[in-house]
Amino acid sequence: MITGMERIDPPLTGHERETLRAYLDYHRATLALKCEGLGDEELRRAAVAPSTLSLLGLVRHMAEVERHWFRRVLAGEDLPHLWSDCHDFQAAYDACGSTRAEAFSAWEAEVAHARRIEAAAPSLDVTAYVPSWGKDASLRLIMLHLVHEYARHNGHADLLREAVDGVTGD
């Protein structure tokens, strides 16, 4: 699991920011849980040919997503992609030469940066320009987008994990 992260159910009541944080952390922890107990080979295993999608590829992709939305967009940092010299988000999915240590280290570092940037923002109404959208987006929307991104990919992780060793569940 992500260092210092256990999967805790989000609150049923609470302030908006607290709830968004909790849902994002819940989905982060869910992805880590889907990978728990598996070695490098199992984490690199694709469920269906010809797809190269694997659990490790999802972890790498989410590291890129966290890096992009929090560091590049929200904090305005000029950073390269982790696994692509040509700004290709899809390159992260190909984890055939990757290891758990490499992928999880990058992902955990990006999650830590994201948490720091989010916590430092004075409100959810802080905005940043999103070049691919050609518009500004609020921290609120960025956090909702990340929840959506994790939820979608955690569905993929369910299927990938089941294909690896039959384990199912949330």
Side-chain angles (χ1 to χ4, degrees), residues 104-151:
F104 273 81
S105 176
W107 182 46
E108 290 172 2
E110 294 305 328
V111 167
H113 284 297
R115 286 181 177 144
R116 177 184 48 79
I117 292 164
E118 181 273 320
S123 81
L124 291 173
D125 294 322
V126 167
T127 62
Y129 182 74
V130 182
S132 61
W133 293 353
K135 299 177 183 179
D136 284 349
S138 67
L139 173 57
R140 176 183 296 102
L141 182 67
I142 290 169
M143 291 179 76
L144 283 168
H145 181 72
L146 267 282
V147 168
H148 161 81
E149 186 90 7
Y150 271 103

Side-chain angles (χ1 to χ4, degrees), residues 28-165:
R28 288 168 172 153
T30 298
L31 181 57
L33 184 64
K34 293 297 174 185
C35 299
E36 195 171 73
L38 299 178
D40 288 350
E41 184 180 322
E42 294 164 312
L43 288 169
R44 287 190 296 260
R45 191 176 305 156
V48 181
S51 174
T52 61
L53 185 62
S54 66
L55 288 164
L56 208 53
L58 289 176
V59 171
R60 287 166 43 112
H61 174 69
M62 292 313 299
E64 289 285 18
V65 168
E66 295 267 5
R67 182 180 184 94
H68 176 73
W69 285 101
F70 286 98
R71 295 181 71 188
R72 281 193 202 102
V73 172
L74 199 58
E77 295 179 34
D78 184 18
L79 299 169
H81 281 242
L82 293 165
W83 293 284
S84 171
D85 293 333
C86 59
H87 309 292
D88 180 8
F89 278 94
Q90 302 305 310
Y93 284 124
D94 184 0
C96 63
S98 188
T99 65
R100 169 189 276 279
E102 175 253 350
F104 273 81
S105 176
W107 182 46
E108 290 172 2
E110 294 305 328
V111 167
H113 284 297
R115 286 181 177 144
R116 177 184 48 79
I117 292 164
E118 181 273 320
S123 81
L124 291 173
D125 294 322
V126 167
T127 62
Y129 182 74
V130 182
S132 61
W133 293 353
K135 299 177 183 179
D136 284 349
S138 67
L139 173 57
R140 176 183 296 102
L141 182 67
I142 290 169
M143 291 179 76
L144 283 168
H145 181 72
L146 267 282
V147 168
H148 161 81
E149 186 90 7
Y150 271 103
R152 187 166 58 98
H153 290 310
N154 282 339
H156 299 139
D158 285 337
L159 297 171
L160 289 162
R161 180 62 190 252
E162 185 176 7
V164 168
D165 64 3

